[in-house]
Amino acid sequence: MPEFTGFPRAAITFLEELEANNDRDWFKANRDRYDAYLAAPALALGRDLRRFGEVKLFRPYNDARFHARPPIKEHIGIPFGMEGATGYYAELSLDGLLVAAGMYRPQPDQVARLRDAVADGRRGSALARAVRAATDGGLELSDPDLKRVPRGYDAEHPRADLLRHRRVVLSRRESKLPRWLHGPEAAERIAAWFEAARPTVTWLRDNVGPSLQPPSRR
């Protein structure tokens, strides 16, 4: 039996109050509400959709050491099987539901392998078909990261638009906080969008893979 029954309406109320009271003391006093209304349903969703990968929730605290941000994240992010910058992701906030999949924040060696694979006739054509299936399934491909085809590749290449990508991210945002978020239908819709993106995620894992570079140090 599915565990996920939807995000309760109290989750939206909590996010509204967090937006008005974003400090660590308020969050500490209301942490039990966060755990009950946001974290618990998110983990239940992860268990129901475990076929897309293991879920490990991000910490609710922002890292404000390098950027001016509120101390507490005003959303809950749910990553599924995010290995090597590639996987699936869902996020609930007052801006709505974001569903995404693909490769985000790749390392330079991953970008190089992506470009070589896109330029290759057989492999590049397979990615183009996978992306087309995802867009047919209701997702949008992120805009190209570069204005021009990178140096060393034909500017007239049939997949020039894909060559201009450093990231390959497919996403959909439901910005109206629809009623179905509060019931089990939410899991069915998220799973359908993940399935539409699965051929692209599989292609990225097979043709790009994780970074082979040592992790950077700050």
Side-chain angles (χ1 to χ4, degrees):
M1 289 289 293
E3 294 185 46
F4 179 76
T5 57
F7 287 100
R9 296 183 186 279
I12 307 305
T13 301
F14 175 86
L15 289 171
E16 290 171 341
E17 293 180 19
L18 172 61
E19 186 177 60
N21 302 277
N22 195 322
D23 65 65
R24 286 176 177 264
D25 289 340
W26 184 91
F27 184 73
K28 184 177 180 181
N30 290 272
R31 179 63 190 257
D32 58 339
R33 296 171 63 205
Y34 172 87
D35 290 339
Y37 303 146
L38 288 165
L43 290 170
L45 178 67
R47 289 188 291 272
D48 285 354
L49 302 186
R50 65 176 65 90
R51 64 188 181 275
F52 297 105
E54 182 181 3
V55 164
K56 292 182 179 179
L57 297 183
F58 293 130
R59 296 173 71 250
Y61 302 101
N62 274 319
D63 184 349
R65 292 175 299 170
F66 307 106
H67 303 280
R69 295 171 176 168
I72 311 301
K73 296 174 182 175
E74 295 177 354
H75 65 267
I76 186 162
I78 314 167
F80 292 76
M82 290 294 293
E83 308 103 14
T86 303
Y88 306 86
Y89 180 74
E91 178 184 292
L92 178 67
S93 72
L94 294 180
D95 292 326
L97 175 72
L98 171 67
V99 175
M103 184 173 69
Y104 186 65
R105 291 185 179 174
Q107 295 299 309
D109 63 319
Q110 293 175 292
V111 175
R113 290 195 295 275
L114 171 65
R115 289 172 178 169
D116 286 347
V118 168
D120 179 79
R122 180 181 58 81
R123 293 186 295 159
S125 295
L127 175 61
R129 289 193 298 272
V131 169
R132 192 157 51 247
T135 57
D136 288 346
L139 302 173
E140 293 185 1
L141 178 64
S142 55
D143 292 334
D145 300 287
L146 304 176
K147 292 183 178 180
R148 299 179 180 84
V149 171
R151 185 177 301 177
Y153 295 91
D154 183 1
E156 303 301 321
H157 193 283
R159 288 177 297 282
D161 282 351
L162 285 175
L163 282 170
R164 292 163 54 209
H165 281 261
R166 292 178 53 85
R167 304 163 299 140
V168 178
V169 178
L170 298 156
S171 66
R172 180 186 181 99
R173 183 178 287 280
E174 295 287 327
S175 59
K176 300 291 187 179
L177 290 171
R179 291 182 181 178
W180 50 257
L181 270 175
H182 306 300
E185 184 183 349
E188 297 169 7
R189 288 177 179 258
I190 292 169
W193 290 320
F194 281 179
E195 285 292 353
R198 190 194 284 271
T200 300
V201 173
T202 299
W203 187 96
L204 289 166
R205 288 174 172 166
D206 290 346
N207 292 278
V208 178
S211 175
L212 304 178
Q213 296 180 182
S216 61
R217 294 181 181 178
R218 268 195 160 157

